[in-house]
Amino acid sequence: MTLDNRTCLVTGASKGIGRGIAEEFGRNGANVVVNYRSSEDAAYEVRDHIDGAGGEAVVAQADVANLGEVQEMYQSVHDAFGGIDVLVNNAGITVDKKFESMTREDWDRVMDVNLGGVFNCTKTCFEDIRNATEGRLVNISSVVGQQGNYGQANYATTKSGMFGFTRTIALELAQEGSTANCVAPGFVMTDMLADVPDRVKEGILERIPLDRFAEVEDIVGMVRFLASEESSYMTGQVLGVNGGMEW
Ligand code: NAP
C-alpha cells in the first residue's frame, strides 16, 4: 500500500486525526502537504516528524473556509511538489449548543469550515485529482453525520452533507479512474473530544460495542488504504470506523 511519489494534501494536519493521517502518509512514501490554520508550531512538528522518518513534507497555512487562502496554498504546494494526487478534507470544527440556543453565527461558522472548506479545497484541487493516475478524494465525516447527536445540529448537518457531496464527486471523477470516498469515524481521542463533558462521554461509551473510544491510529489505516491504489474499485462509499456503533 505504498504512496511513493504521490502528493497528498491533508487539511487540518497540525493536530488530531489530520496529524495522524499526514504522518502515516509520510511513512508510506508520500510527499505530504501539512495544512493548518493557527497551530503553526504543531504543524512544523508534524513536518519535522515526517522528515525525520525519511519522508518529504511541507507546511502550508490556510483557513480552508477562505477560498483565496486555499488558492494561495495550492500555488505554494504546486511550486514544491507539482499537482495534488490525493486530497484529504479533514479540517473541521464544532460549535456545540442545543438547537434552541444555537445562533445563525454558530450555524454559519460550522458550515463555512466543515462544508465551505470541503468546497474550497476540492474545487481548487479538482482538476489535479481528475487528471492524476488514480487520483483520490477522501472526506473525513463522522458517525454523528449518520446518527445525529444532541447539541450538534450544525456539525451533524455538515457531516451528513459530506455523504451526498462524496457520492456526486465520485460520479464526476469516475470516467478518469479517480475516486472519492468518505470515512466516518466514531468518537476519537483528540482535542475535539476533550471538550465534551465527562458525563456526556460516559453516555457515548455505553453506545460503543467495542467499549472504548478510538485512538487516531484506529482511523489512519483506512485513510491510507483509500488513498492508495489498492482501493481502485471503491468509490462513492462511506466507511464507518466506529467501534461497531449502529446507524
Ligand atoms: P482537532 O484535534 O480539533 O484538530 C482539528 C484540526 O483542524 C487542527 O489541525 C486545526 O488546525 C484544523 N482546522 C480547524 N479549522 C480549520 C480551518 N478553518 N482551516 C484549516 N484547518 C483548520 O480535531 P480532530 O478530532 O482531529 O478532527 C479532525 C476531523 O475529524 C474533523 O473533520 C472532525 O469533524 C472529524 N471527526 C472527529 C471525531 C472525534 O471524535 N475527534 C470523530 C469523527 C470525525 P489549527 O489548530 O491549526 O487551527
Side-chain angles (χ1 to χ4, degrees):
M1 277 202 269
T2 179
L3 297 173
D4 274 343
N5 300 319
R6 309 251 295 157
T7 296
C8 305
L9 168 56
V10 183
T11 68
S14 55
K15 293 194 296 193
I17 296 170
R19 176 183 184 142
I21 294 167
E23 292 182 353
E24 177 72 2
F25 283 1
R27 276 192 290 277
N28 283 272
N31 301 322
V32 187
V33 183
V34 178
N35 161 256
Y36 74 101
R37 179 191 49 186
S38 48
S39 303
E40 183 173 9
D41 291 349
Y44 279 95
E45 249 181 50
V46 177
R47 183 202 63 181
D48 292 347
H49 192 272
I50 293 171
D51 286 351
E56 287 260 13
V58 294
V59 168
Q61 196 278 336
D63 179 343
V64 295
N66 183 316
L67 180 59
E69 289 187 22
V70 170
Q71 288 167 336
E72 276 177 35
M73 168 171 74
Y74 173 82
Q75 274 315 323
S76 68
V77 170
H78 221 267
D79 295 345
F81 289 143
I84 303 290
D85 300 294
V86 177
L87 168 64
V88 181
N89 281 314
N90 166 78
I93 60 165
T94 52
V95 180
D96 296 348
K97 278 174 197 172
K98 284 194 280 188
F99 188 67
E100 66 194 40
S101 314
M102 191 173 284
T103 64
R104 183 57 197 258
E105 286 71 33
D106 300 330
W107 176 269
D108 286 347
R109 184 67 196 136
V110 175
M111 293 295 146
D112 284 352
V113 175
N114 294 12
L115 279 180
V118 166
F119 175 87
N120 291 339
C121 295
T122 308
K123 184 81 182 164
T124 303
C125 299
F126 188 75
E127 280 305 309
D128 283 2
I129 294 170
R130 188 162 61 180
N131 295 332
T133 305
E134 305 261 359
R136 297 281 184 264
L137 175 67
V138 183
N139 293 319
I140 307 299
S141 176
S142 169
V143 70
V144 168
Q146 298 168 317
Q147 296 187 334
N149 200 27
Y150 195 91
Q152 293 198 305
N154 49 4
Y155 179 79
T157 301
T158 62
K159 294 299 170 179
S160 304
M162 281 180 164
F163 303 153
F165 181 78
T166 302
R167 295 190 79 86
T168 302
I169 297 298
L171 296 175
E172 296 190 15
L173 287 174
Q175 286 279 315
E176 269 72 31
S178 293
T179 67
N181 290 288
C182 222
V183 176
F187 292 86
V188 189
M189 297 298 282
T190 67
D191 288 357
M192 190 175 271
L193 194 60
D195 292 342
V196 175
D198 283 347
R199 69 180 170 73
V200 177
K201 276 194 232 161
E202 282 161 24
I204 294 169
L205 196 53
E206 282 171 13
R207 295 193 282 124
I208 305 175
L210 285 177
D211 200 27
R212 66 175 178 85
F213 293 109
E215 301 292 338
V216 166
E217 291 68 30
D218 292 313
I219 310 302
V220 300
M222 176 60 78
V223 182
R224 177 186 13 89
F225 169 68
L226 291 175
S228 76
E229 294 185 7
E230 305 287 308
S231 62
S232 290
Y233 201 60
M234 284 180 67
T235 197
Q237 302 303 304
V238 177
L239 286 309
V241 186
N242 60 27
M245 296 180 90
E246 285 182 26
W247 65 287

